[in-house]
Amino acid sequence: MKALVLILVFAASQALAQQTTTTIAAPVAAASAAPSNTTAGTLDSGFMRVVRERFKTSYFGELYGPNAKRWDDNQYDANGVKMNDPVQMWHNFNVGWKLFGKTSAVMSPRFYTIFGDRNDINKSNNSNERRKRQARMDENVVVMDDWQFGFQQNIIKNETVTLDSRITHRAPFSTVSKTANIDSQIEWMQGATWKPIPQIFILSQSTIRYYLYEEQVTEERYRLNQLTAFNYIFNDKWKVQLFNEFDMQHRNAKDKNAKGHKDWNYFLKNKNIIATGLGYNFSPNLTIMPYIKALNDEDIRPETMQIGLWAFGRVF
């Protein structure tokens, strides 16, 4: 991971140096006889122009709220059973620096803030699935998730269609990754949007993830995630979204006797979901969208539905 971070920092610094030289060298030379404060202003304006052209930061957050039928400080699973996981919000900052052409270096700091009851986190329970989910939590108010480092390519971008491809390394900063002896998660994501008319916006995102473990672990694990979001835009303030996501996990698929074995077509039950949300644009840079989510699309009832919220923002 250290090597990858050094590569990203070096590439970004070289790109900045190259762009800064071409942008501000001439103004500085021409203003050599001018007072020093004028030269400083030219330098500042040239540097900020480079930053505006190359640096982008956006934000996505999701509030994992209570059950639609039982409002309390804890979440409920796809069977309507109370979990030890408290109500919490997940934060993801997408930071990008344009290297050249349509290629950018990207980094995603990610973490949770806990709002619900943390006293249940370390209590024992008999559900293997809940124990696995519990492993990512501790009793702190802020809980670290795995961070992503990598590169993104903008393949197509126009007013109607966009297509992006991203490959990243997930650094094992979270408790769950450290507990499972995960050394890295290599992730390839393809994202596409389509806006056939001004009122309709459709998003499709496919992700393939491969888990790399420490030497003492012999487990093989793959994961496929697909999400689709259909947005209808009423006006510049209001929109509604229909959302679907499913998650397939392949773990020791060749060895059916292995512990935790999952076949190639195994669907993760609490990730086979549908949701709908109503969004409000507080500004061009901030959208808040409360939602109601069915955690298992094969068993839709108030006990298996979750109340939550999505937040979308553009920082820079």
Short mmCIF file of all heavy atoms in Angstrom, two decimals, residues 188-222:
data_model
loop_
_atom_site.label_atom_id
_atom_site.label_comp_id
_atom_site.label_asym_id
_atom_site.label_seq_id
_atom_site.Cartn_x
_atom_site.Cartn_y
_atom_site.Cartn_z
N TRP A 188 -12.45 -3.49 -9.48
CA TRP A 188 -12.62 -2.90 -10.80
C TRP A 188 -14.07 -2.47 -10.95
O TRP A 188 -14.97 -3.30 -10.86
CB TRP A 188 -12.22 -3.89 -11.89
CG TRP A 188 -12.35 -3.35 -13.28
CD1 TRP A 188 -12.10 -2.08 -13.69
CD2 TRP A 188 -12.76 -4.07 -14.46
NE1 TRP A 188 -12.31 -1.95 -15.05
CE2 TRP A 188 -12.73 -3.17 -15.54
CE3 TRP A 188 -13.14 -5.39 -14.68
CZ2 TRP A 188 -13.09 -3.54 -16.83
CZ3 TRP A 188 -13.50 -5.76 -15.97
CH2 TRP A 188 -13.46 -4.86 -17.03
N MET A 189 -14.30 -1.20 -11.19
CA MET A 189 -15.66 -0.67 -11.28
C MET A 189 -15.90 -0.03 -12.64
O MET A 189 -15.05 0.70 -13.15
CB MET A 189 -15.90 0.36 -10.18
CG MET A 189 -17.34 0.84 -10.10
SD MET A 189 -17.50 2.38 -9.15
CE MET A 189 -16.93 3.59 -10.35
N GLN A 190 -17.06 -0.32 -13.21
CA GLN A 190 -17.52 0.32 -14.44
C GLN A 190 -18.79 1.09 -14.11
O GLN A 190 -19.76 0.52 -13.60
CB GLN A 190 -17.83 -0.73 -15.52
CG GLN A 190 -16.65 -1.61 -15.91
CD GLN A 190 -15.71 -0.92 -16.86
OE1 GLN A 190 -16.06 0.08 -17.48
NE2 GLN A 190 -14.50 -1.45 -16.99
N GLY A 191 -18.78 2.38 -14.39
CA GLY A 191 -19.96 3.21 -14.12
C GLY A 191 -20.45 3.89 -15.38
O GLY A 191 -19.65 4.40 -16.17
N ALA A 192 -21.77 3.89 -15.57
CA ALA A 192 -22.36 4.51 -16.75
C ALA A 192 -23.60 5.29 -16.36
O ALA A 192 -24.35 4.89 -15.44
CB ALA A 192 -22.72 3.46 -17.80
N THR A 193 -23.82 6.42 -17.01
CA THR A 193 -25.05 7.19 -16.82
C THR A 193 -25.67 7.48 -18.19
O THR A 193 -24.97 7.58 -19.20
CB THR A 193 -24.80 8.52 -16.09
OG1 THR A 193 -23.98 9.38 -16.90
CG2 THR A 193 -24.10 8.27 -14.75
N TRP A 194 -26.99 7.63 -18.17
CA TRP A 194 -27.73 7.93 -19.41
C TRP A 194 -28.83 8.92 -19.07
O TRP A 194 -29.60 8.69 -18.13
CB TRP A 194 -28.30 6.65 -20.00
CG TRP A 194 -29.06 6.87 -21.29
CD1 TRP A 194 -28.74 7.73 -22.29
CD2 TRP A 194 -30.27 6.21 -21.69
NE1 TRP A 194 -29.66 7.65 -23.31
CE2 TRP A 194 -30.61 6.72 -22.97
CE3 TRP A 194 -31.07 5.24 -21.12
CZ2 TRP A 194 -31.74 6.29 -23.66
CZ3 TRP A 194 -32.20 4.81 -21.80
CH2 TRP A 194 -32.52 5.33 -23.07
N LYS A 195 -28.91 10.01 -19.83
CA LYS A 195 -29.94 11.02 -19.65
C LYS A 195 -30.64 11.24 -20.98
O LYS A 195 -30.34 12.17 -21.73
CB LYS A 195 -29.31 12.33 -19.14
CG LYS A 195 -30.30 13.32 -18.58
CD LYS A 195 -29.60 14.49 -17.92
CE LYS A 195 -30.61 15.43 -17.28
NZ LYS A 195 -29.95 16.58 -16.62
N PRO A 196 -31.63 10.36 -21.28
CA PRO A 196 -32.29 10.44 -22.59
C PRO A 196 -33.09 11.72 -22.79
O PRO A 196 -33.19 12.24 -23.90
CB PRO A 196 -33.19 9.21 -22.60
CG PRO A 196 -33.42 8.89 -21.16
CD PRO A 196 -32.17 9.28 -20.45
N ILE A 197 -33.70 12.21 -21.69
CA ILE A 197 -34.42 13.49 -21.71
C ILE A 197 -34.06 14.23 -20.41
O ILE A 197 -33.57 13.61 -19.46
CB ILE A 197 -35.96 13.29 -21.81
CG1 ILE A 197 -36.48 12.47 -20.62
CG2 ILE A 197 -36.32 12.62 -23.13
CD1 ILE A 197 -38.00 12.35 -20.59
N PRO A 198 -34.28 15.54 -20.35
CA PRO A 198 -33.87 16.28 -19.16
C PRO A 198 -34.47 15.78 -17.85
O PRO A 198 -33.87 15.95 -16.78
CB PRO A 198 -34.33 17.71 -19.46
CG PRO A 198 -34.36 17.79 -20.95
CD PRO A 198 -34.78 16.43 -21.42
N GLN A 199 -35.64 15.14 -17.89
CA GLN A 199 -36.31 14.71 -16.66
C GLN A 199 -35.84 13.34 -16.16
O GLN A 199 -36.14 12.96 -15.03
CB GLN A 199 -37.84 14.66 -16.87
CG GLN A 199 -38.50 16.01 -17.10
CD GLN A 199 -38.36 16.47 -18.55
OE1 GLN A 199 -38.03 15.68 -19.43
NE2 GLN A 199 -38.61 17.75 -18.79
N ILE A 200 -35.12 12.58 -16.97
CA ILE A 200 -34.76 11.21 -16.61
C ILE A 200 -33.24 11.06 -16.57
O ILE A 200 -32.54 11.46 -17.50
CB ILE A 200 -35.37 10.19 -17.59
CG1 ILE A 200 -36.89 10.19 -17.44
CG2 ILE A 200 -34.82 8.79 -17.34
CD1 ILE A 200 -37.60 9.27 -18.42
N PHE A 201 -32.77 10.46 -15.48
CA PHE A 201 -31.33 10.21 -15.30
C PHE A 201 -31.17 8.79 -14.75
O PHE A 201 -31.72 8.45 -13.70
CB PHE A 201 -30.74 11.23 -14.33
CG PHE A 201 -29.28 11.03 -14.05
CD1 PHE A 201 -28.32 11.47 -14.94
CD2 PHE A 201 -28.86 10.39 -12.88
CE1 PHE A 201 -26.96 11.29 -14.68
CE2 PHE A 201 -27.52 10.21 -12.62
CZ PHE A 201 -26.57 10.66 -13.52
N ILE A 202 -30.41 7.94 -15.47
CA ILE A 202 -30.25 6.54 -15.09
C ILE A 202 -28.78 6.26 -14.83
O ILE A 202 -27.91 6.64 -15.62
CB ILE A 202 -30.78 5.61 -16.20
CG1 ILE A 202 -32.26 5.88 -16.45
CG2 ILE A 202 -30.58 4.13 -15.81
CD1 ILE A 202 -32.83 5.15 -17.66
N LEU A 203 -28.50 5.58 -13.72
CA LEU A 203 -27.15 5.20 -13.34
C LEU A 203 -27.03 3.69 -13.25
O LEU A 203 -27.91 3.02 -12.69
CB LEU A 203 -26.79 5.82 -11.98
CG LEU A 203 -25.55 5.26 -11.27
CD1 LEU A 203 -24.28 5.67 -12.01
CD2 LEU A 203 -25.49 5.72 -9.82
N SER A 204 -25.95 3.15 -13.80
CA SER A 204 -25.63 1.72 -13.66
C SER A 204 -24.18 1.60 -13.23
O SER A 204 -23.29 2.24 -13.82
CB SER A 204 -25.86 0.98 -14.98
OG SER A 204 -25.47 -0.39 -14.85
N GLN A 205 -23.94 0.77 -12.21
CA GLN A 205 -22.58 0.61 -11.69
C GLN A 205 -22.30 -0.85 -11.38
O GLN A 205 -23.01 -1.47 -10.60
CB GLN A 205 -22.40 1.46 -10.44
CG GLN A 205 -21.00 1.42 -9.84
CD GLN A 205 -20.86 2.38 -8.68
OE1 GLN A 205 -20.98 3.60 -8.85
NE2 GLN A 205 -20.64 1.85 -7.50
N SER A 206 -21.27 -1.41 -12.01
CA SER A 206 -20.88 -2.81 -11.80
C SER A 206 -19.49 -2.85 -11.18
O SER A 206 -18.59 -2.15 -11.63
CB SER A 206 -20.87 -3.57 -13.13
OG SER A 206 -22.12 -3.50 -13.77
N THR A 207 -19.34 -3.69 -10.15
CA THR A 207 -18.07 -3.77 -9.43
C THR A 207 -17.66 -5.23 -9.24
O THR A 207 -18.47 -6.04 -8.80
CB THR A 207 -18.16 -3.09 -8.05
OG1 THR A 207 -18.60 -1.75 -8.22
CG2 THR A 207 -16.81 -3.11 -7.35
N ILE A 208 -16.43 -5.54 -9.60
CA ILE A 208 -15.85 -6.86 -9.36
C ILE A 208 -14.71 -6.67 -8.36
O ILE A 208 -13.84 -5.84 -8.56
CB ILE A 208 -15.32 -7.50 -10.65
CG1 ILE A 208 -16.47 -7.66 -11.66
CG2 ILE A 208 -14.69 -8.86 -10.37
CD1 ILE A 208 -16.02 -8.14 -13.02
N ARG A 209 -14.73 -7.48 -7.29
CA ARG A 209 -13.73 -7.34 -6.24
C ARG A 209 -13.06 -8.68 -5.95
O ARG A 209 -13.73 -9.71 -5.84
CB ARG A 209 -14.37 -6.81 -4.96
CG ARG A 209 -13.38 -6.41 -3.88
CD ARG A 209 -14.10 -6.06 -2.59
NE ARG A 209 -15.16 -5.11 -2.79
CZ ARG A 209 -16.06 -4.81 -1.85
NH1 ARG A 209 -15.99 -5.39 -0.66
NH2 ARG A 209 -17.01 -3.93 -2.10
N TYR A 210 -11.73 -8.65 -5.84
CA TYR A 210 -10.97 -9.85 -5.49
C TYR A 210 -10.23 -9.60 -4.17
O TYR A 210 -9.58 -8.57 -4.01
CB TYR A 210 -9.97 -10.20 -6.59
CG TYR A 210 -9.12 -11.41 -6.27
CD1 TYR A 210 -9.67 -12.69 -6.27
CD2 TYR A 210 -7.77 -11.27 -5.96
CE1 TYR A 210 -8.91 -13.80 -5.97
CE2 TYR A 210 -6.99 -12.38 -5.67
CZ TYR A 210 -7.57 -13.64 -5.67
OH TYR A 210 -6.81 -14.73 -5.37
N TYR A 211 -10.34 -10.54 -3.24
CA TYR A 211 -9.74 -10.38 -1.92
C TYR A 211 -8.37 -11.03 -1.87
O TYR A 211 -8.20 -12.19 -2.24
CB TYR A 211 -10.63 -11.03 -0.86
CG TYR A 211 -11.97 -10.34 -0.64
CD1 TYR A 211 -13.00 -10.47 -1.58
CD2 TYR A 211 -12.19 -9.57 0.49
CE1 TYR A 211 -14.22 -9.84 -1.38
CE2 TYR A 211 -13.41 -8.95 0.69
CZ TYR A 211 -14.42 -9.08 -0.24
OH TYR A 211 -15.63 -8.46 -0.05
N LEU A 212 -7.39 -10.27 -1.40
CA LEU A 212 -6.04 -10.79 -1.17
C LEU A 212 -5.82 -10.91 0.34
O LEU A 212 -5.98 -9.92 1.07
CB LEU A 212 -4.99 -9.86 -1.77
CG LEU A 212 -4.99 -9.74 -3.29
CD1 LEU A 212 -3.99 -8.68 -3.73
CD2 LEU A 212 -4.65 -11.06 -3.94
N TYR A 213 -5.46 -12.12 0.79
CA TYR A 213 -5.28 -12.37 2.22
C TYR A 213 -3.80 -12.46 2.57
O TYR A 213 -2.94 -12.61 1.71
CB TYR A 213 -5.98 -13.67 2.62
CG TYR A 213 -7.49 -13.59 2.57
CD1 TYR A 213 -8.20 -13.87 1.40
CD2 TYR A 213 -8.22 -13.25 3.71
CE1 TYR A 213 -9.58 -13.81 1.37
CE2 TYR A 213 -9.61 -13.18 3.68
CZ TYR A 213 -10.28 -13.46 2.51
OH TYR A 213 -11.65 -13.39 2.48
N GLU A 214 -3.53 -12.40 3.87
CA GLU A 214 -2.17 -12.61 4.35
C GLU A 214 -1.76 -14.06 4.12
O GLU A 214 -2.60 -14.93 3.86
CB GLU A 214 -2.09 -12.24 5.83
CG GLU A 214 -2.35 -10.76 6.07
CD GLU A 214 -2.31 -10.39 7.54
OE1 GLU A 214 -2.01 -11.27 8.37
OE2 GLU A 214 -2.60 -9.22 7.87
N GLU A 215 -0.47 -14.33 4.21
CA GLU A 215 0.08 -15.63 3.80
C GLU A 215 -0.56 -16.81 4.51
O GLU A 215 -0.72 -17.88 3.93
CB GLU A 215 1.59 -15.65 4.03
CG GLU A 215 2.37 -14.70 3.10
CD GLU A 215 3.86 -14.79 3.33
OE1 GLU A 215 4.27 -15.60 4.20
OE2 GLU A 215 4.61 -14.06 2.66
N GLN A 216 -0.95 -16.66 5.77
CA GLN A 216 -1.47 -17.79 6.53
C GLN A 216 -2.89 -18.17 6.14
O GLN A 216 -3.40 -19.19 6.58
CB GLN A 216 -1.41 -17.51 8.04
CG GLN A 216 -2.36 -16.40 8.52
CD GLN A 216 -1.72 -15.04 8.50
OE1 GLN A 216 -0.81 -14.79 7.71
NE2 GLN A 216 -2.17 -14.16 9.39
N VAL A 217 -3.54 -17.35 5.30
CA VAL A 217 -4.92 -17.62 4.89
C VAL A 217 -4.92 -18.21 3.49
O VAL A 217 -4.32 -17.66 2.57
CB VAL A 217 -5.77 -16.33 4.93
CG1 VAL A 217 -7.21 -16.64 4.52
CG2 VAL A 217 -5.72 -15.71 6.32
N THR A 218 -5.62 -19.33 3.32
CA THR A 218 -5.68 -20.00 2.01
C THR A 218 -7.01 -19.76 1.30
O THR A 218 -7.24 -20.29 0.22
CB THR A 218 -5.48 -21.52 2.19
OG1 THR A 218 -6.50 -22.04 3.06
CG2 THR A 218 -4.10 -21.81 2.77
N GLU A 219 -7.87 -18.99 1.87
CA GLU A 219 -9.20 -18.77 1.32
C GLU A 219 -9.15 -17.98 0.02
O GLU A 219 -8.32 -17.09 -0.15
CB GLU A 219 -10.05 -18.02 2.35
CG GLU A 219 -11.47 -17.75 1.90
CD GLU A 219 -12.32 -17.18 3.03
OE1 GLU A 219 -12.06 -17.52 4.20
OE2 GLU A 219 -13.24 -16.40 2.74
N GLU A 220 -10.05 -18.32 -0.90
CA GLU A 220 -10.24 -17.55 -2.14
C GLU A 220 -11.63 -16.91 -2.10
O GLU A 220 -12.60 -17.56 -1.74
CB GLU A 220 -10.11 -18.45 -3.37
CG GLU A 220 -8.68 -18.90 -3.65
CD GLU A 220 -8.58 -19.58 -5.00
OE1 GLU A 220 -9.62 -19.70 -5.68
OE2 GLU A 220 -7.47 -19.98 -5.36
N ARG A 221 -11.70 -15.67 -2.51
CA ARG A 221 -12.97 -14.96 -2.41
C ARG A 221 -13.08 -13.92 -3.51
O ARG A 221 -12.15 -13.15 -3.77
CB ARG A 221 -13.08 -14.29 -1.03
CG ARG A 221 -14.42 -13.63 -0.74
CD ARG A 221 -14.41 -13.08 0.68
NE ARG A 221 -15.62 -12.33 0.96
CZ ARG A 221 -15.81 -11.59 2.06
NH1 ARG A 221 -14.86 -11.54 2.97
NH2 ARG A 221 -16.93 -10.93 2.24
N TYR A 222 -14.25 -13.90 -4.15
CA TYR A 222 -14.57 -12.91 -5.17
C TYR A 222 -15.92 -12.31 -4.83
O TYR A 222 -16.70 -12.87 -4.08
CB TYR A 222 -14.66 -13.55 -6.57
CG TYR A 222 -13.48 -14.37 -6.96
CD1 TYR A 222 -13.33 -15.69 -6.53
CD2 TYR A 222 -12.50 -13.84 -7.79
CE1 TYR A 222 -12.25 -16.45 -6.91
CE2 TYR A 222 -11.40 -14.59 -8.17
CZ TYR A 222 -11.29 -15.90 -7.72
OH TYR A 222 -10.20 -16.66 -8.09
#
